[in-house]
Amino acid sequence: MPIYEYRCPDCADFDLVFEMRSVPDLVSCPTCACTARRRMSAPGISTASSAAFRLIDDTKRSAHEPAVVNSPAPGRRSGPAQKYTLNPLHKKLPRP
Ligand SMILES: [Zn+2]
């Protein structure tokens, strides 16, 4: 069920859950029992896929719980260091 925001003129905003067919425009504030009006707000709709959410969750988790690495990342070769650039024009640049 969707969450609706209400604003009490005397207190802070609060959220309530109603069925879409029975959402009232006015409710009583749970804190002061004053009449609160429904607020219009942006819906919490996301177009991100589950893969995007998984990536976000993994990124957040890795900030606190870094994964243990047992081998180099795939695609990297062990051995001599690779050149930074393969562009032959970069060889003409002045060296420090
Ligand atoms: Zn109130």
Side-chain angles (χ1 to χ4, degrees):
M1 282 193 283
I3 300 171
Y4 295 94
E5 290 183 67
Y6 289 89
R7 172 167 288 171
C8 175
D10 299 331
C11 304
D13 296 350
F14 57 93
D15 298 334
L16 293 175
V17 177
F18 290 103
E19 291 184 18
M20 290 179 76
R21 63 182 176 188
S22 64
V23 55
D25 287 335
L26 300 173
V27 296
S28 63
C29 174
T31 307
C32 69
C34 185
T35 302
R37 180 174 289 276
R38 184 174 148 201
R39 286 188 62 205
M40 291 295 149
S41 59
I45 297 174
S46 174
T47 58
S49 65
S50 62
F53 281 120
R54 196 175 324 118
L55 176 62
I56 292 169
D57 291 342
D58 289 347
T59 303
K60 286 181 182 176
R61 187 180 317 112
S62 68
H64 302 288
E65 304 167 17
V68 176
V69 177
N70 295 326
S71 63
R76 290 195 168 199
R77 287 183 266 149
S78 60
Q82 295 179 346
K83 293 181 179 178
Y84 290 104
T85 177
L86 299 176
N87 189 336
L89 295 176
H90 291 170
K91 292 180 180 176
K92 296 180 179 178
L93 294 173
R95 301 285 173 207

